[in-house]
């Protein structure tokens, strides 16, 4: 069975495609999510019938994971270009995060898990495990992946395989979730244990379970929302876990300045324990982590025409993304993009863009958020992307050097954040020039690391070698792990 | 008859087998040199400068003492790839007296974990070759996969075929450090640097699951359509869809999409062959022989996982940084010798100048379909670290100073002990 959602059409189609394989993946070219089916291992089937037919399209976890890949790709098409060690890990990790936090939306399952673990959700069990049936059915003897780990900065240094690297991100976010959850239930436990902190043996009182479940579900929703909101504050290319941490902190601070549940501190701490540090920050204090606000930058607000068109089109409903070479036939969108493009070229220096390289408008949309006090916040987010070709330099393995900026503005067009990944260029300001060069070095170093580990390099033809860093699809990434 | 060695030199003889390995190390000994034979085999896809039987004859001659008995103190089979063991099929080995045979721990018949890895690799190789043959696949892939087929006769020789009831060691041992305690080689110290029993390294030894081969073969095709989970009434042929406009619009897959889906569902034969090759290379025994100032590093075909393990361990790293003789891994391929290691050797030369002595030997032969072995940049990098880099396929037409060339059959290096 496969499901597809087309960017050119506005409806989603589901259709059968015989696809006998222990795999499920998102195909960016077909713009489809493909789910395979297979027979369970006959010797170690776990809880399945030996030889039972297992459909990956029936797995809540696999669906959530794969569809999230599709969504991430829609929001950031260049997050499939492995320009550094974290890029593919981010795709996998983020998809796992969404899948795991979905577990908390099933009240019955959640209550049962709380009862079984006596509220200690950071223990092995269905809440924090992914794709258990798949894992057992393929003879692994356990779930495919889990949200738990033993925090070890060395792993972040060494591990490159995308799913394993993604697991580090998942574990960090789950760590933050669990810390927040524990803080929230402290008072409940105090009441329940009359101050001793020790829960009685045996079953918990059903009222307590309900309250704990409620807190767990709320916390899960809060953390997941935090993770999703952070997207708006991500650069358009070359993402690192450090960037994501900064985006998490910025997004949350921007909306909920008072650190009520200390979730941001928990997040920073969880990343720190795993050796994940953003580049170019002077400390792990919140002020340092938040993306620099663009207050000093002399830049006029975004073109009003573009804003008006965006608001109008948002009111009409979801429209396809358009811009640059892929501009749709829609005349409204074309106008908006033209205005934004002109604006970007005019303010290239302030936006950390290279005026001598073509600027592509890679997406423009409005975001609608509600503060805790009920206030509606509307913001505008536009992504500009640039590229330097590397076709004649095999050291890059077929991936161009890309740079760009995500610009976040308030509803009246005042630029609030410029989150940039600059291209090496003479005109970019000094501080950013060094950053651009070290980005380039990092990309080359990653190709070198890939080559050292890739067993195919000695045997492969020239075609493979030229495009060896290009990820054609997720099937290839999954093949390392499955089947 | 037998080859002698100078009292202050370790002699290394690289036999020209084409694309494969056969090295004889000779350490000065009381009455005769101590002899270590490391591998003997040629790749099935390799041109043969001379038949392997002749090479074996030459080796036996080189180790035959005055009393007419051929003796080798240690025979090493670094891993069971054809291009390292195929030569052990020859009957001549039955008359060679061997004291010890060293193989990686994955060859241990009494180790259950080893047996599992061995069987998985063997059966994967068999199934993959069968599948590729039946499918009439690209001969390159078949050649790549065939190297991993277990050569029963050769393995039997290694395990039980030499004269003199040799002692078999499966290395490294579970407990203890990297050093081997043996009296077979006199004062020579030997360290085993791989394959590690680290779970990460063992994971590299895991070939792709058998299911993939069966699908490649289409063996399951008839069976699967017979017990397809979808009843026939729910299945549509392409023609039925194309003839029904409503259905066609609803499904919205044009031919290009369908082709891509079919490709996605297909199994990548090349990837499987590579994964299998990598898995067997992962079992490579990595040995360091030391006598006086001579430090000989023989890494078999060890790739990233094993090298990474070595270079991340302070003690092991210090050991390899003393190398004065390098048998270049995996026939000079890019990932048989990490860039990091080559750079270390280059730096050593810069720091110590001419006194940093280093010999490197590459046993290889260019094969048309595999242009990246040996890797030109690697050879250049080694030449930056030392002038003494010899390739088995260079013959005596372009002799390299520091080596002795015997026609194009053998290249010999003499590595100083003091």
């Amino acid at each position: 069975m496969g499901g597809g959602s087309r960017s050119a059409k506005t409806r989603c189609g589901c259709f059968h495609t015989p696809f006998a394989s222990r795999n499920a993946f998102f195909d960016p070219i077909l713009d489809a999510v493909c789910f395979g089916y297979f027979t369970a291992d006959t010797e170690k089937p776990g809880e399945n019938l030996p030889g039972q037919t297992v459909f990956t399209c029936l797995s809540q976890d696999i669906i959530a994971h794969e569809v999230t890949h599709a969504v991430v790709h829609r929001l950031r098409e260049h997050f499939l270009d492995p320009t550094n060690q974290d890029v593919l890990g981010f795709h996998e990790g983020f998809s796992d995060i969404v899948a795991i936090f979905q577990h908390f939306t099933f009240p019955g399952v959640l209550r049962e898990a709380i009862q079984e673990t006596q509220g200690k959700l950071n223990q092995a069990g269905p809440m924090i495990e992914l794709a258990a049936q798949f894992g057992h059915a393929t003879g692994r003897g356990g779930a495919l992946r889990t949200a738990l780990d033993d925090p070890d900065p060395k792993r972040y240094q060494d591990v490159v395989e995308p799913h394993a690297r993604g697991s580090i991100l998942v574990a960090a976010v789950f760590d933050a979730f669990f810390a927040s959850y524990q803080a929230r239930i402290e008072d409940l436990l105090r009441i329940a244990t009359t101050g001793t902190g020790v829960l009685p043996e045996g079953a918990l009182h059903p009222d307590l379970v309900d309250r704990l479940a409620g807190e767990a579900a709320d916390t899960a929703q809060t953390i997941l929302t935090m993770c999703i909101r952070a997207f708006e504050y991500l650069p358009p290319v070359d993402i690192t876990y450090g960037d994501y941490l900064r985006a998490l902190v910025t997004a949350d601070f921007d909306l909920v300045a008072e650190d009520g549940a200390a979730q941001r501190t928990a997040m920073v701490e969880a990343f720190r324990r795993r050796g994940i540090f953003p580049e170019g920050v002077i400390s792990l204090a919140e002020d340092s982590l938040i993306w620099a606000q663009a207050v000093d930058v002399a830049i006029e607000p975004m073109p009003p025409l573009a804003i008006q068109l965006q608001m109008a089109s948002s009111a009409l409903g979801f429209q396809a993304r358009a811009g640059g070479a892929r501009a749709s036939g829609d005349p409204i969108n074309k106008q908006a993009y033209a205005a934004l493009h002109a604006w970007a070229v005019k303010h290239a220096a302030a936006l950390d863009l290279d005026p001598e390289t073509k600027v592509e408008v890679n997406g423009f949309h409005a975001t609608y958020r509600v503060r805790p006090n009920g206030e509606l916040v509307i913001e505008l987010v536009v992504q500009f992307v640039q590229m330097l070709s590397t076709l004649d330099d095999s050291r890059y393995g077929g991936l161009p050097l890309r740079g760009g900026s995500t610009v976040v503005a308030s509803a009246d067009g005042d630029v609030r954040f410029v989150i940039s990944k600059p291209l090496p260029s003479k005109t970019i300001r000094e501080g950013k020039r060094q950053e651009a060069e070290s980005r380039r070095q990092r990309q080359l170093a990653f190709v070198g690391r890939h080559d050292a580990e890739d067993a195919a390099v000695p045997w492969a033809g020239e075609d493979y070698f030229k495009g060896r860093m290009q990820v054609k699809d997720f099937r290839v990434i999954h093949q390392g792990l499955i089947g | 008859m037998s080859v002698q060695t100078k009292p202050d030199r370790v002699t290394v003889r690289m036999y020209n087998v084409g694309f494969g390995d056969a090295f004889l190390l000779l350490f000065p000994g009381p009455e005769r040199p101590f002899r270590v034979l490391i591998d003997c085999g040629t790749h099935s896809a390799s041109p043969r400068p001379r038949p392997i039987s002749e090479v074996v004859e030459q080796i036996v001659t080189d180790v035959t003492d005055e009393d007419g008995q051929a003796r080798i103190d240690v025979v090493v089979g670094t891993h069971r790839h054809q291009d390292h063991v195929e030569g052990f099929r020859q009957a001549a080995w039955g008359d060679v007296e061997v004291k010890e045979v060293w193989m990686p721990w994955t060859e241990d018949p009494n180790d259950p974990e080893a047996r599992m890895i061995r069987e998985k690799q063997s059966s994967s190789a068999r199934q993959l070759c069968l599948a590729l043959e039946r499918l009439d696949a690209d001969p390159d892939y078949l050649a790549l996969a065939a190297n991993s087929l277990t050569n029963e006769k050769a393995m039997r020789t290694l395990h039980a075929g030499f004269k003199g009831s040799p002692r078999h060691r499966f290395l490294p041992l579970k407990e203890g450090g990297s050093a081997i305690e043996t009296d077979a080689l006199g004062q020579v110290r030997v360290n085993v640097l791989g394959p590690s029993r680290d779970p990460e390294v063992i994971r590299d030894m895991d070939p792709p699951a058998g299911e993939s081969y069966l699908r490649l073969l289409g063996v399951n095709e008839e069976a699967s359509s017979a017990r397809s989970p979808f009843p026939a009434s729910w299945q549509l042929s392409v023609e039925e869809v194309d003839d029904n406009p409503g259905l066609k619009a609803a499904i919205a897959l044009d031919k290009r999409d369908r082709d891509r889906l079919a490709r996605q569902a297909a199994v990548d034969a090349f990837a499987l062959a590579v994964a299998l090759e990598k898995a067997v290379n992962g079992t490579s025994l990595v040995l360091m022989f030391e006598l006086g100032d001579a430090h000989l590093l023989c890494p078999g075909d060890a790739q990233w996982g094993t090298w990474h393990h070595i270079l991340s361990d302070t003690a092991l790293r210090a050991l390899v940084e003393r190398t004065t003789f390098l048998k270049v891994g995996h026939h000079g391929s890019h990932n048989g010798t990490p860039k990091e290691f080559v750079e270390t050797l280059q730096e050593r030369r810069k720091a110590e100048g001419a006194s940093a002595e280093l010999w490197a030997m590459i046993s290889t032969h260019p094969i048309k379909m595999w242009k990246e072995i040996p890797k030109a940049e690697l050879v250049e990098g080694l030449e930056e670290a030392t002038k003494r880099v010899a390739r088995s396929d260079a013959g005596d037409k372009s002799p390299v100073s520091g080596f002795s060339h015997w026609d194009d059959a053998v290249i010999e290096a003499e590595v100083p002990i003091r």
Side-chain angles (χ1 to χ4, degrees):
Chain A
M1 258 216 280
S5 124
R6 300 308 191 89
S7 50
K9 305 176 182 63
T10 51
R11 59 201 172 98
C12 174
C14 275
F15 45 82
H16 283 279
T17 308
F19 178 37
S21 159
R22 301 176 169 195
N23 205 348
F25 54 86
F26 164 64
D27 186 335
I29 294 184
L30 282 177
D31 222 6
V33 189
C34 304
F35 296 95
Y37 63 90
F38 61 98
T39 50
D41 199 88
T42 41
E43 277 163 49
K44 287 204 311 182
E47 289 168 359
N48 301 295
L49 213 55
Q52 161 186 356
T53 306
V54 176
F55 289 93
T56 59
C57 62
L58 294 180
S59 161
Q60 149 81 17
D61 286 344
I62 295 181
I63 295 171
H65 178 103
E66 299 306 332
V67 173
T68 305
H69 272 312
V71 173
V72 171
H73 188 66
R74 174 71 171 77
L75 293 173
R76 292 284 188 284
E77 70 172 315
H78 296 298
F79 279 10
L80 257 191
D81 294 341
T83 50
N84 69 62
Q85 270 164 253
D86 285 344
V87 175
L88 295 180
F90 176 78
H91 234 289
E92 293 298 334
F94 188 78
S95 303
D96 276 355
I97 287 169
V98 172
I100 288 185
F101 280 113
Q102 289 291 96
H103 294 178
F104 293 81
T105 60
F106 295 100
V109 178
L110 181 54
R111 260 187 242 115
E112 229 180 80
I114 287 190
Q115 184 61 269
E116 269 203 37
T117 59
Q118 289 223 317
K120 296 194 195 59
L121 289 172
N122 63 341
Q123 283 172 22
M127 296 311 292
I128 53 95
E129 282 172 1
L130 263 182
Q133 186 191 25
F134 183 95
H136 281 294
T138 51
R140 273 181 180 81
L144 186 60
R145 286 191 287 281
T146 163
L148 294 182
D149 77 340
D150 204 0
D152 180 6
K154 202 165 171 298
R155 269 182 62 80
Y156 184 61
Q157 294 298 325
D158 288 343
V159 166
V160 168
E161 195 279 315
H163 294 89
R165 200 160 177 85
S167 294
I168 300 175
L169 184 65
V170 175
V173 170
F174 189 79
D175 198 340
F177 156 78
F178 190 69
S180 301
Y181 161 72
Q182 278 193 305
R184 282 202 196 198
I185 63 170
E186 238 180 66
D187 55 349
L188 288 171
L189 292 179
R190 264 200 301 271
I191 296 170
T193 62
T194 51
T196 64
V198 180
L199 286 167
E201 297 265 335
L204 294 178
H205 194 287
D207 283 345
L208 178 61
V209 169
D210 279 347
R211 291 288 279 110
L212 292 177
E215 289 299 339
D218 280 348
T219 314
Q221 185 58 60
T222 304
I223 297 285
L224 181 59
T225 309
M226 201 177 158
C227 288
I228 295 172
R229 278 205 197 113
F231 245 92
E232 311 300 358
Y233 296 81
L234 289 178
V237 299
D238 199 23
I239 184 173
T240 64
Y241 286 5
D243 292 335
Y244 190 54
L245 177 62
R246 296 192 73 180
L248 282 166
V249 173
T250 306
D252 197 63
F253 181 83
D254 215 27
L255 201 65
V256 189
E258 323 87 55
D259 200 359
Q263 65 224 20
R264 291 196 292 276
T265 313
M267 200 62 86
V268 174
E269 179 59 21
F271 275 62
R272 186 199 66 78
R273 288 173 70 203
R274 289 160 183 82
I276 304 170
F277 301 108
E279 297 167 320
V281 293
I282 48 172
S283 82
L284 289 178
E286 215 163 72
D287 295 343
S288 301
L289 290 177
I290 294 173
W291 293 116
Q293 308 237 21
V295 281
D296 302 321
V297 177
I299 180 169
E300 69 192 18
M302 280 186 189
L305 173 65
I307 301 174
Q308 286 159 17
L309 291 171
Q310 171 62 239
M311 293 307 185
S313 73
S314 300
L316 290 171
F318 177 80
Q319 292 294 321
R321 171 184 64 197
R326 289 161 292 102
S328 77
D330 188 329
I332 293 177
N333 270 322
K334 256 185 153 166
Q335 276 186 286
Y337 278 76
L340 285 166
H341 181 266
W343 177 77
V345 169
K346 185 172 175 196
H347 298 281
L351 296 174
D352 292 334
L353 295 170
D354 179 10
E356 287 168 26
T357 308
K358 176 159 173 276
V359 175
E360 188 185 293
V361 182
N362 204 252
F364 176 48
H365 64 276
T367 69
Y368 303 88
R369 292 186 215 129
V370 181
R371 288 197 202 280
N373 62 8
E375 181 192 336
L376 175 68
V377 179
I378 303 176
E379 285 194 323
L380 303 159
V381 182
V382 60
Q383 298 171 58
F384 298 108
V385 176
Q386 301 187 289
M387 172 182 111
L388 289 177
S389 172
T390 58
L391 282 176
D392 38 4
D393 190 340
S394 68
R395 291 178 308 157
Y396 288 88
L399 277 186
L401 200 50
R402 282 209 175 87
S405 304
T406 298
V407 182
V408 181
S410 58
D412 51 9
D414 279 330
V415 172
R416 301 192 54 233
F417 297 98
V418 175
I419 299 151
S420 64
K421 292 274 179 175
L423 275 183
S425 135
K426 294 179 279 299
T427 43
I428 286 186
R429 54 195 166 100
E430 181 60 44
K432 286 289 177 178
R433 207 178 308 160
Q434 278 189 347
E435 188 188 314
E437 182 53 33
S438 58
R439 255 189 357 104
R440 194 176 70 85
Q441 293 300 334
R442 182 175 65 196
Q443 185 168 337
L444 285 173
F446 184 59
V447 178
R449 169 72 192 258
H450 167 274
D451 287 347
E453 290 196 51
D454 185 5
V457 165
W459 314 104
E462 195 162 354
D463 284 341
Y464 175 92
F465 196 68
K466 273 211 176 116
R468 64 197 187 277
M469 295 306 288
Q470 292 165 350
V471 171
K472 313 304 191 287
D473 51 55
F474 280 94
R475 182 188 73 130
V476 162
I477 299 177
H478 288 186
Q479 231 167 25
L481 201 63
I482 302 173
Chain B
M1 264 216 145
S2 72
V3 174
Q4 294 304 312
T5 185
K6 303 196 176 76
D8 59 346
R9 295 270 191 273
V10 177
T11 302
V12 181
R13 286 168 73 79
M14 172 168 68
Y15 297 90
N16 188 4
V17 292
F19 191 104
D21 265 18
F23 286 83
L24 185 66
L25 273 54
L26 299 144
F27 299 91
E31 282 152 13
R32 62 160 180 82
F34 292 111
R35 301 173 185 130
V36 181
L37 174 67
I38 305 183
D39 291 334
C40 180
T42 311
H43 204 289
S44 60
S46 167
R48 312 241 160 175
R50 26 186 4 218
I52 194 83
S53 53
E54 259 182 57
V55 176
V56 173
E57 236 182 80
Q58 172 81 59
I59 296 175
V60 172
T61 308
D62 290 349
V63 304
T64 302
D65 292 321
E66 277 171 12
D67 62 355
Q69 175 62 53
R71 291 184 182 87
I72 300 179
D73 297 287
V74 180
V75 171
V76 180
T78 58
H79 60 296
R80 54 165 65 192
H81 266 150
Q82 299 270 38
D83 58 342
H84 290 252
V85 302
E86 190 237 345
F88 289 114
R89 268 185 328 164
Q90 301 292 316
W93 296 110
D95 292 322
V96 178
E97 210 178 270
V98 174
K99 279 213 192 103
E100 296 196 20
V101 179
W102 297 351
M103 284 185 273
W105 66 267
T106 49
E107 290 297 327
D108 189 346
N110 299 320
D111 184 330
E113 196 178 6
R115 189 165 48 235
M116 212 167 60
I117 292 173
R118 234 174 20 244
E119 278 169 15
K120 240 180 155 187
Q121 290 182 351
S122 282
S123 69
S124 295
R126 264 197 323 272
Q127 287 174 351
L128 182 57
C129 286
L130 188 61
L132 291 174
E133 264 170 28
R134 288 257 285 260
L135 286 176
D136 213 15
D138 200 321
D140 295 4
Y141 303 162
L142 188 50
L144 188 52
N147 199 34
S148 297
L149 282 172
T150 297
N151 193 315
E152 292 296 343
K153 217 166 165 202
M155 296 318 295
R156 221 174 309 138
T157 305
L158 282 170
H159 279 278
F162 298 109
K163 207 167 156 186
S165 303
R167 175 182 175 166
H168 289 81
R169 291 185 198 257
F170 301 100
L171 304 165
L173 300 170
K174 263 200 181 125
E175 271 97 37
S178 56
I180 304 179
E181 297 295 325
T182 177
D183 53 8
L185 299 176
Q187 301 291 322
V188 179
R189 285 194 320 277
V190 189
N191 278 285
V192 185
L193 283 69
S196 152
R197 287 183 193 250
D198 192 283
E200 289 289 316
V201 178
I202 290 180
R203 220 163 41 115
D204 280 350
M205 301 178 191
D206 216 4
E211 188 241 23
S212 325
Y213 308 122
L214 296 178
R215 283 206 305 116
L216 190 57
L217 197 54
V219 151
N220 264 353
E221 223 67 286
E222 301 87 19
S224 67
S225 56
R227 53 176 175 80
S228 161
F230 306 111
S233 53
W234 283 92
Q235 294 185 38
L236 291 168
S237 70
V238 174
E239 293 76 29
E240 279 176 281
V241 172
D242 281 345
D243 289 341
N244 184 327
L247 211 46
K248 195 169 176 188
I251 291 179
L253 277 181
D254 63 19
K255 175 147 196 329
R256 214 173 46 174
D257 292 339
R258 283 201 291 259
D259 284 346
R260 182 165 170 92
L261 267 176
R263 268 203 308 279
Q264 294 298 71
V267 180
D268 187 345
F270 174 68
L272 288 177
V274 165
L276 179 59
E277 158 85 12
K278 176 181 174 182
V280 181
N281 276 346
T283 65
S284 273
L285 198 51
V286 179
L287 297 169
M288 178 69 133
F289 296 88
E290 296 183 290
L291 184 62
D293 292 335
H295 308 282
L296 302 100
L297 179 61
C298 304
D301 277 0
Q303 290 175 162
W304 165 263
T306 304
W307 272 107
H308 182 67
H309 180 87
I310 293 172
L311 295 174
S312 324
D313 181 303
T314 342
L316 296 181
R317 194 190 180 113
L319 205 56
V320 301
E321 283 178 357
R322 294 205 287 266
T323 302
T324 58
F325 171 87
L326 175 67
K327 182 222 81 105
V328 177
H330 201 219
H331 319 288
S333 86
H334 174 96
N335 37 21
T337 311
K339 205 158 166 224
E340 212 185 314
F341 183 58
V342 177
E343 280 165 4
T344 310
L345 296 173
Q346 287 169 348
E347 258 148 58
R348 205 174 72 182
R349 195 216 179 133
K350 278 200 199 108
E352 297 172 27
S355 65
E357 292 182 318
L358 177 64
W359 277 258
M361 289 178 117
I362 314 174
S363 180
T364 187
H365 199 291
I367 296 180
K368 219 167 52 165
M369 54 187 166
W370 297 322
K371 293 198 176 64
E372 298 291 322
I373 308 185
K375 183 86 178 170
E377 283 92 331
L378 172 62
V379 179
E380 279 159 26
L382 286 170
E383 282 167 350
E384 252 186 67
T386 173
K387 287 206 184 66
R388 305 192 192 96
V389 181
R391 284 171 61 148
S392 63
D393 59 340
D396 60 353
K397 287 153 206 79
S398 39
V400 183
S401 78
F403 296 94
S404 314
H405 292 69
W406 309 95
D407 301 322
D408 60 350
V410 181
I411 301 181
E412 201 178 82
E414 291 184 316
V415 185
I417 297 172
R418 21 181 184 283

